[in-house]
Amino acid sequence: PRGASAAQCRERSSGLNAMAARAAAAIDDIDAAFDGALGLEEHFLAAGYAEGTVRGAASGQDDGRRLGCDRGRELGRELGRFRGRIDMLNALVAAGPAPRHLPERISRLLNEAAATIPTEPPAPQDEAAFEAIAELRAKMRMLDAWLGGSRLPAVEPDLSF
């Protein structure tokens, strides 16, 4: 103010400087609090991610086991149906009237299909086994066509994993 002495101005100036210093210290405290909160958030994110990874792996194993059982059951049914049809046709040929033979190509296809049916379940990674099963399906479709069709539905299981 006008008419204030130099001492009063210095006193007022030092008071303002002290207030500015306290305000700066308060801002530093707020920054430190936010830094701590950000660190806490990062800690919880890391802990949640780690727990999610463990639970996700367990859930994936359970889902994979269920899927593998379902697909294996479908494949087993299909291969069992093929085995039964081949055995039935062989029994009909053996019990039929003379001459007990099929045309050569049907007899050969029947023998090839019987030899192709796996006796053990194939490993999921064994691509050659699944290619052989695909060839078996084709042979069974040809056999059905040559014998006049099949009454069984031509449903192939979805074995894509």
Side-chain angles (χ1 to χ4, degrees), residues 53-126:
T53 300
V54 170
R55 286 187 180 185
S59 174
Q61 290 222 339
D62 291 343
D63 290 346
R65 188 175 299 114
R66 272 192 297 275
L67 178 66
C69 286
D70 291 344
R71 300 294 190 219
R73 189 176 315 114
E74 290 175 15
L75 181 60
R77 277 191 195 129
E78 181 184 27
L79 293 176
R81 193 173 68 231
F82 290 162
R83 170 60 68 195
R85 289 168 65 198
I86 290 170
D87 289 347
M88 178 203 59
L89 289 171
N90 282 329
L92 286 174
V93 168
R100 294 181 184 153
H101 70 279
L102 290 173
E104 179 60 32
R105 66 182 179 179
I106 294 177
S107 180
R108 184 175 39 84
L109 185 65
L110 197 58
N111 292 332
E112 287 175 5
T116 306
I117 295 177
T119 56
E120 295 291 322
Q125 300 86 2
D126 189 0

Side-chain angles (χ1 to χ4, degrees), residues 116 118 122-136:
T116 306
Q125 300 86 2
D126 189 0
E127 290 183 28
F130 286 99
E131 288 173 8
I133 291 170
E135 288 178 25
L136 174 64

Side-chain angles (χ1 to χ4, degrees), residues 7-19:
Q8 288 176 333
C9 284
R10 277 192 296 271
E11 187 178 311
R12 178 172 270 171
S13 175
S14 70
L16 290 175
N17 286 339
M19 281 178 34

